[in-house]
Amino acid sequence: MAGGFDLRREPWIPVRLLTGESARLGLRELFLRAHEIADLELPVPPAAAGLLRILAAMTARIAHDAGERLDDAGIAEDTEDWHALRRRVLKHGRFDPDAVDAYFDREELAGRFDLFDEQRPFLQDPRLIAECVDGKGAPNTSGVNKLVLGRPTGINGAVLFGHFTDTAPVPVPAAEAVWHLLAQLYFGPSGQCTPRRITDQRTGSGDAAPLRKSVSYFAWAPELFKSLVLAVPAPQSEVDWTAQDACPWEEELNDPLGPLPAVTWPYRLLTGRFRHAVLLQPSADHRSVVDAYITWSTHESPLQARDPYQILDRRKDDTFQPREADGARALWRDLDSLLLKDSQQDAQRPPCLEDLPKRLLPSLRVRAYGFEQDGQQKDSVWFQATTPPILQWQEETDAEMAYHVMRCHRVAEDAASRLDFAAKIAWRIATDANTDASPKSKVKIDRRKPGPWASAALSRYWPLAEREFWRLASPDQTTASVERPFVEAALAALDESIGQVGRADIRVARARNRARSILLGLLPVKAA
C-alpha cells in the first residue's frame, strides 16, 4: 500500500469564503487562507466536530506572537499570560505563512499527513492489516459500508437507507473517507467490532468513542482564523503537566495492550483519547477507499478529562455528565447554559466559552455540532446549528440579558411540560367514558396509553416557542412579561393537535376546555 493522498495538499475540506464562494482546500491552504474563510461546510456534522479539534491542535502548533506559541507550557502556567498571548495572536488577523509551512514541512512528519502512507497513514494503524485476520490468516476487513456513517451494514436496511450492500460495496471518494474516518474516531460505537488478534486471544469488542452521543459548542467568529484561535482550549488543571504532549501523527503508535498515555494539554486532550483503530484500503489510483478495517485500539479504562467544548449537566448524585445530543432539541434551549456562570445553575458551560476577548463578543456566535446516538450501535440523527451573536450577553458582560434569556427559556420549558400533561389529561377524558370530565375532578393518566395528542402538540409547540423566544430575546424586552406568549403558543399547539370539534363531540370539547384551563394556570394571577 503506497501513499498518494496528501491531506496537506489535496482539496478535502469544504469551506465558504468571505466572498460567498464555496471551495475545497487542503490543510496547508486552509491555514494560509483562514482569514479569507467564513465557514466550514462539511456535510457530516460529527466529522466537523472532530475536524475542529484536529484544527485546534494544529492551531496551537502554528499560532504565535514574537515566537511565543499558544502551546507554550511555560506561558500556560499563568492563565492571564496565556489569554494575553491569545489576544496578541488575534491582532495579527491571520496565521503567519512561515509558521504554517514550518509545521507542515517538519521532516519528522514526512508521510504522516498522507491518508494512504505505507508506514504511518494519517490517524490510522497500519498494524491492522496483519492483526485483523481470520482463523486461516486471511484478511478480515470491516467493509467500506461500516466506515461510512449512514450506510447500512449486513442485510438490515439495505433498501430503506440506500442502495448499498456488503456484497457489492460502493467505494467512497478519498476526500469524503477522511470525514468518516474522523467521525468514527470521535463518535464510533461500542460493542462488537472486527476482531483484532494481537496475542493468542482474538478479541472483537470495544468501547464507545470519546464524543459518542454528545454535542459540541464552539465560539464562532466571522472569519475562520478567529474561530480556530478561539477553539484552542485554555490550560486545564485536570491534565498531566509532567508528561510529554503530542498528537497521534506526531508520535509513535501506542501499544494497544499497554497503559494509556496521560491526558496532556492541549494535544492529547483534543486528539489522543480515541478508542477505535482504523485502516483504510485505497483503490489502485488512490482516489477512493474501497475497504476498511475498524476495530478497538485499547481495552484500558478511559482517562477522564474535561472536554473543552461540552456542557456538563448535574446528575441526581451531584456528579456531572456531558449533555447528550437530541435531534429534536433546538439550540436556543441551551443558551442559558452557554451564557450563565456555572455557579448559577445545574450546568457547567464549555470551558472554550470562558474568558473570551471582550472586543470580539459583539460578533461571536455559537456553533453546535451534535450526533444523537445510543451508547452502543444505534445512530439516530446528526445536526448542526448556529446562534445569532449572543455571546455578548454572557453574565460577566450583560447579566441582565443573561438572566432574561434564562427566564424566557425556563418559562418555555414549563409551558411545554404543562402542555404535555394537559394533552394527556384531555386524551384520557375524551376517550374514557368512566373518567369524570368535570372541571375540578382528579384524572389519572394511563402512562402506557398516553394518546397521540401530547406528542402532536409538542411537535407544534416548539417551533412556535422558538419564534417567541427570539422575539423576546432582545435588550428592549428585559422587563416584559414573558409567560403569556409561551402559554398562547401552547394553547395554539393544543388546539391544532386536537383539531376541530363538532357539536356532537361534547366530551372532546370538555376535554379541550379542561386542558386549556391547565395551561392558563401558568399565567400570573393578574395576567390571567
Side-chain angles (χ1 to χ4, degrees):
M1 185 173 67
F5 198 87
D6 190 333
L7 298 177
R8 298 171 299 181
R9 183 185 68 254
E10 296 284 352
W12 64 278
I13 305 174
V15 301
R16 187 179 75 253
L17 302 177
L18 291 173
T19 60
E21 300 172 276
S22 293
R24 285 201 181 192
L25 307 176
L27 286 170
R28 188 191 303 270
E29 192 174 4
L30 180 90
F31 279 93
L32 290 174
R33 301 183 62 186
H35 58 290
E36 302 174 11
I37 299 171
D39 207 346
L40 298 176
E41 291 191 326
L42 266 74
V44 183
L51 175 62
L52 277 168
R53 287 166 167 83
I54 300 291
L55 296 179
M58 293 178 177
T59 298
R61 286 287 193 214
I62 292 170
H64 73 93
D65 174 71
E68 296 179 332
R69 290 195 326 221
L70 288 177
D71 66 347
D72 191 315
I75 294 175
E77 291 179 357
D78 189 311
T79 304
E80 291 186 4
D81 288 347
W82 188 88
H83 282 104
L85 172 59
R86 185 177 69 176
R87 290 192 294 271
R88 297 197 303 272
V89 168
L90 286 166
K91 287 182 179 179
H92 289 290
R94 61 173 298 170
F95 292 112
D96 176 6
D98 291 338
V100 173
D101 289 337
Y103 178 67
F104 287 117
D105 291 336
R106 281 170 53 176
E107 185 176 350
E108 68 273 22
L109 299 183
R112 295 196 178 187
F113 293 106
D114 197 309
L115 193 64
F116 304 129
D117 185 72
E118 186 172 319
Q119 302 298 323
R120 286 297 304 276
F122 185 72
L123 287 180
Q124 299 164 70
D125 192 335
R127 298 172 295 190
L128 301 189
I129 201 166
E131 295 172 352
C132 292
V133 294
D134 62 19
K136 297 181 180 179
N140 182 26
T141 65
S142 308
V144 70
N145 289 347
K146 184 70 174 178
L147 169 72
V148 180
L149 297 180
R151 284 192 184 182
T153 56
I155 61 173
N156 294 327
V159 175
L160 291 177
F161 299 106
H163 295 286
F164 303 100
T165 66
D166 288 341
T167 57
V170 178
V172 58
E176 297 178 19
V178 191
W179 310 343
H180 294 282
L181 168 66
L182 295 176
Q184 290 287 348
L185 292 174
Y186 281 102
F187 290 88
S190 63
Q192 185 177 356
C193 62
T194 298
R196 183 179 188 181
R197 186 191 297 275
I198 298 177
T199 63
D200 292 338
Q201 300 297 317
R202 188 165 171 263
T203 307
S205 65
D207 299 327
L211 301 185
R212 187 163 183 86
K213 65 180 183 179
S214 71
V215 56
S216 302
Y217 306 86
F218 298 87
W220 211 250
E223 306 90 24
L224 184 62
F225 164 73
K226 294 175 183 175
S227 298
L228 292 182
V229 173
L230 295 177
V232 179
Q236 294 185 211
S237 59
E238 297 89 346
V239 302
D240 188 331
W241 287 92
T242 62
Q244 184 70 29
D245 186 34
C247 296
W249 58 88
E250 298 173 345
E251 58 184 351
E252 297 308 308
L253 294 169
N254 290 334
D255 178 2
L257 301 180
L260 292 175
V263 177
T264 49
W265 172 88
Y267 300 117
R268 289 203 188 102
L269 176 66
L270 298 175
T271 66
R273 298 189 291 138
F274 303 138
R275 309 295 296 179
H276 293 74
V278 181
L279 181 62
L280 307 180
Q281 298 291 284
S283 60
D285 62 0
H286 297 125
R287 307 316 296 172
S288 61
V289 170
V290 298
D291 207 343
Y293 298 86
I294 304 175
T295 186
W296 55 272
S297 65
T298 178
H299 287 132
E300 293 288 306
S301 297
L303 301 177
Q304 298 303 310
R306 175 72 163 96
D307 187 277
Y309 314 106
Q310 293 178 343
I311 293 173
L312 297 186
D313 289 320
R314 190 187 300 275
R315 293 170 169 165
K316 292 182 179 179
D317 62 0
D318 280 341
T319 60
F320 285 85
Q321 67 177 13
R323 180 164 296 179
E324 294 186 2
D326 181 350
R329 181 185 174 91
L331 180 55
W332 65 270
R333 297 170 65 186
D334 292 338
L335 290 195
D336 49 356
S337 298
L338 304 175
L339 299 180
L340 291 172
K341 295 178 182 177
D342 299 343
S343 60
Q344 303 298 327
Q345 54 183 4
D346 289 335
Q348 296 180 6
R349 69 184 175 193
C352 73
L353 300 184
E354 301 282 358
D355 301 308
L356 294 169
K358 290 185 178 180
R359 69 181 183 87
L360 295 182
L361 287 177
S363 65
L364 292 183
R365 300 168 290 162
V366 175
R367 167 66 54 80
Y369 296 104
F371 197 0
E372 182 180 336
Q373 307 167 288
D374 69 3
Q376 295 184 319
Q377 297 283 336
K378 181 181 178 182
D379 296 337
S380 297
V381 62
W382 60 54
F383 56 88
Q384 168 184 319
T386 310
T387 70
I390 52 90
L391 289 178
Q392 59 188 316
W393 298 338
Q394 282 189 322
E395 184 179 354
E396 300 92 320
T397 305
D398 192 339
E400 184 179 25
M401 272 301 296
Y403 281 99
H404 176 63
V405 167
M406 178 187 70
R407 184 163 59 103
C408 292
H409 174 224
R410 288 187 177 177
V411 170
E413 295 286 350
D414 289 345
S417 179
R418 189 70 66 93
L419 174 61
D420 179 67
F421 173 72
K424 290 174 180 176
I425 290 289
W427 178 258
R428 180 74 175 188
I429 292 174
T431 59
D432 187 349
N434 297 319
T435 298
D436 185 355
S438 58
K440 295 185 178 180
S441 64
K442 291 185 177 180
V443 179
K444 185 177 181 181
I445 296 173
D446 187 345
R447 301 295 178 184
R448 295 173 299 177
K449 300 177 181 179
W453 287 348
S455 60
L458 287 173
S459 67
R460 289 170 169 82
Y461 166 76
W462 283 118
L464 298 174
E466 180 171 8
R467 184 178 64 191
E468 293 300 328
F469 174 84
W470 287 115
R471 183 180 66 81
L472 293 166
S474 172
D476 61 4
Q477 295 288 327
T478 54
T479 59
S481 174
V482 300
E483 289 83 5
R484 181 168 291 279
F486 293 109
V487 170
E488 289 180 349
L491 290 170
L494 177 72
D495 288 343
E496 288 182 32
S497 65
I498 294 177
Q500 296 295 323
V501 179
R503 291 184 178 180
D505 300 324
I506 187 64
R507 194 166 190 89
V508 176
R510 288 176 178 175
R512 180 165 63 179
N513 288 339
R514 177 69 180 274
R516 288 177 64 88
S517 67
I518 292 172
L519 287 170
L520 289 169
L522 281 174
L523 294 175
V525 176
K526 292 182 180 180

